[in-house]
Amino acid sequence: AQKVTQAQTEISVVEKEDVTLDCVYETRDTTYYLFWYKQPPSGELVFLIRRNSFDEQNEISGRYSWNFQKSTSSFNFTITASQVVDSAVYFCALSEGGGYNKLIFGAGTRLAVHP
Amino acid sequence: DTAVSQTPKYLVTQMGNDKSIKCEQNLGHDTMYWYKQDSKKFLKIMFSYNNKELIINETVPNRFSPKSPDKAHLNLHINSLELGDSAVYFCASSKTGTLTGELFFGEGSRLTVL
């Protein structure tokens, strides 16, 4: 069965600290996609990144970086020099196989960045 | 222009009532979805339509009935509302229904059943 685990329910940091959000997934498919979404206090879901199962290269986008490791079934997300605007709930998600796009979401990690 | 728009954004109603939430996307996408986010922020897919055809139907009470009159619209009708239906309902769309399709979400419709 497909499953996404975000073990950290809440993280609290002070501005400018680096923070890593963990994501561990389970799937029997060889082809799959992993995603991160951000849900700020305003409530919308904002797409951050998509990574396919054949591309294990790490990705950096500004202060955001992602580390995908198939050997440990993890897709972790790091925010460098966190800012108050990074405060949000972050969701990791897995796209199930079988041809149709069905995102399986983790429970989310609530990040609070304090000034 | 909002890419995926839902109406209403807030809905407060009594148990037993019937209500609908509407969704429209102007991205030209083929596939649309309804997701439910409960009070603990847990997100779960309910339905998906590809070119007006139902392709994903999760274990959802049959009081919930989606309708897609065309590719750009996916509505959700809920009969005999129950307290447990209180949640935020997100509509989403993707270019295709396949794995590669990034989902674009609407802003959510917060339903409160009293």
Side-chain angles (χ1 to χ4, degrees), chain A:
Chain A
Q2 316 273 341
K3 189 177 174 184
V4 177
T5 301
Q6 294 180 256
Q8 304 148 308
T9 307
E10 290 190 35
I11 300 176
S12 182
V13 299
V14 176
E15 226 176 0
K16 297 184 185 175
E17 282 186 39
D18 297 347
V19 58
T20 295
L21 283 61
D22 298 332
C23 174
V24 173
Y25 62 92
E26 293 176 31
T27 179
R28 293 181 185 171
D29 295 325
T30 54
T31 302
Y32 53 89
Y33 279 75
L34 294 162
F35 300 77
W36 277 94
Y37 280 84
K38 173 182 179 179
Q39 188 173 38
S42 49
E44 72 273 24
L45 285 159
V46 179
F47 168 81
L48 295 178
I49 190 173
R50 175 184 63 225
R51 172 68 72 218
N52 77 53
S53 53
F54 299 108
D55 182 2
E56 284 194 74
Q57 280 191 354
N58 291 335
E59 178 147 346
I60 298 175
S61 176
R63 295 184 297 105
Y64 294 171
S65 62
W66 290 269
N67 182 277
F68 176 31
Q69 292 198 344
K70 285 178 79 169
S71 60
T72 55
S73 296
S74 64
F75 186 44
N76 297 337
F77 172 31
T78 297
I79 302 174
T80 303
S82 60
Q83 300 176 2
V84 172
V85 293
D86 296 327
S87 297
V89 180
Y90 291 87
F91 292 95
C92 180
L94 169 70
S95 191
E96 189 178 71
Y100 285 117
N101 196 354
K102 183 169 108 171
L103 283 187
I104 308 296
F105 282 87
T109 296
R110 183 180 297 276
L111 174 65
V113 182
H114 302 285

Side-chain angles (χ1 to χ4, degrees), chain A residues 31-33 35 37 39 42-45 47 50 89 91 95-97 99-103 105-107 110, chain B residues 33 35 37 40-43 45 50 55-56 58 90 94 96-107:
Chain A
T31 302
Y32 53 89
Y33 279 75
F35 300 77
Y37 280 84
Q39 188 173 38
S42 49
E44 72 273 24
L45 285 159
F47 168 81
R50 175 184 63 225
V89 180
F91 292 95
S95 191
E96 189 178 71
Y100 285 117
N101 196 354
K102 183 169 108 171
L103 283 187
F105 282 87
R110 183 180 297 276
Chain B
Y33 312 78
Y35 278 79
Q37 186 173 44
K40 295 183 178 178
K41 294 285 191 181
F42 188 66
L43 274 157
I45 190 168
N50 179 262
I55 57 172
I56 295 174
E58 290 295 285
F90 284 96
S94 63
T96 71
T98 65
L99 289 176
T100 59
E102 171 200 334
L103 264 63
F104 292 80
F105 284 87
E107 294 181 341

